[in-house]
Amino acid sequence: SGIPTKFPTLNLYCTVEAGELITVCAPQKVGKSIMLLNLAVDMLKQDKSVLYIDSELNETLFFTRLISHLTGIEFMRVKTGRYSPEEYEAILDAKEWLKTRRFTHHYLPVFDEKSLYTITKKVSHTQGGLDVIFVDYIKSSGIEGDAFATYAAMGRITDLIKNTLCGAMKIAGVAAAQTTDSGKIADSAKIARNSSTILILQKKTDEEYARDRADCGTHKLTVRFNRNGPQMSEGEYIDLNFNGDKILYEEAPKQHEMQNPF
């Protein structure tokens, strides 16, 4: 059941399902926003109706990343216009393709529960329904306060996404959250409680990269918590390749030695 992702090995553990929330957690600068963009484009390629609520990137910057991902032209060359006539045609083709998709990117620097709900209802109406909502990323509303108040706000936002937007409206959800370098999720108890699946995205250590060999990729994705399928054992992960210049995550051509989840 559910919509498969672009990562075949991940689909053995979970898919993007209506009423469920997958939360991708990663440290700063590892590429959680790029991962969500890759997953969103894959949903569009499967002709799904998508809403992407973004607290990080305005429409221009997101669109530039999107064009880089779709065309394979490096982000900085798209941004600065240093592309060939042939690449310009590829950019035009990508723009025309996007016009055929049911897709809305909404820049919302500060998240609050009312805004998230209102935007989702409005886009669902204008696009004739929604299949998947992406939220980049779960964080506090920006109101000054102690750690407890911040964590409580993050918990309420996660609860809204999972139970009100995904559950009541029958929409599949994918969100991002930040972790420490060691993989600890900020406000992990409340985020985990309201997520169907927690995925941890990390750059491999030098030791892991040397042990797994280059064809097993540069990054790893761990299924840390999963209500809708198997959960990984200690030391298990999915091997990924990351190309930040082209806004691209792909499953590595080879997976390191790992147990089959079944």
Side-chain angles (χ1 to χ4, degrees), residues 80-150:
T80 59
R82 294 184 291 110
Y83 37 74
S84 69
E86 293 77 16
E87 289 171 330
Y88 177 62
E89 291 299 320
I91 291 172
L92 293 180
D93 288 344
K95 290 171 67 176
E96 288 303 312
W97 178 79
L98 283 168
K99 292 177 184 178
T100 70
R101 303 296 94 186
R102 293 175 294 159
F103 178 55
T104 298
H105 173 267
H106 191 99
Y107 177 47
L108 187 66
V110 179
F111 283 173
D112 65 82
E113 295 151 85
K114 182 179 179 180
S115 296
L116 287 169
Y117 179 77
T118 301
I119 292 164
T120 303
K121 289 288 288 186
K122 180 179 179 180
V123 173
S124 179
H125 176 73
T126 58
Q127 290 187 183
L130 275 175
D131 295 307
V132 191
I133 178 173
F134 288 81
V135 179
D136 187 10
Y137 63 97
I138 297 169
K139 58 184 177 182
S140 68
S141 62
I143 299 173
E144 293 292 334
D146 59 20
F148 180 81
T150 298

Side-chain angles (χ1 to χ4, degrees), residues 16 80 124 167 198 230 250:
V16 179
T80 59
S124 179
I198 294 284
E250 294 180 303

Side-chain angles (χ1 to χ4, degrees), residues 36-74:
L36 258 64
L37 184 149
N38 275 245
L39 292 169
V41 169
D42 188 59
M43 296 295 106
L44 294 175
K45 289 179 177 178
Q46 297 183 62
D47 200 28
K48 303 303 178 182
S49 177
V50 173
L51 167 63
Y52 196 113
I53 301 178
D54 196 337
S55 67
E56 295 289 287
L57 303 179
N58 62 36
E59 280 77 9
T60 300
L61 187 53
F62 180 87
F63 183 68
T64 307
R65 281 190 172 193
L66 184 56
I67 290 296
S68 173
H69 172 76
L70 287 170
T71 62
I73 305 168
E74 291 84 351

Side-chain angles (χ1 to χ4, degrees), residues 16-28:
V16 179
E17 297 185 52
E20 307 294 343
L21 174 63
I22 296 173
T23 304
V24 181
C25 305
Q28 285 185 319

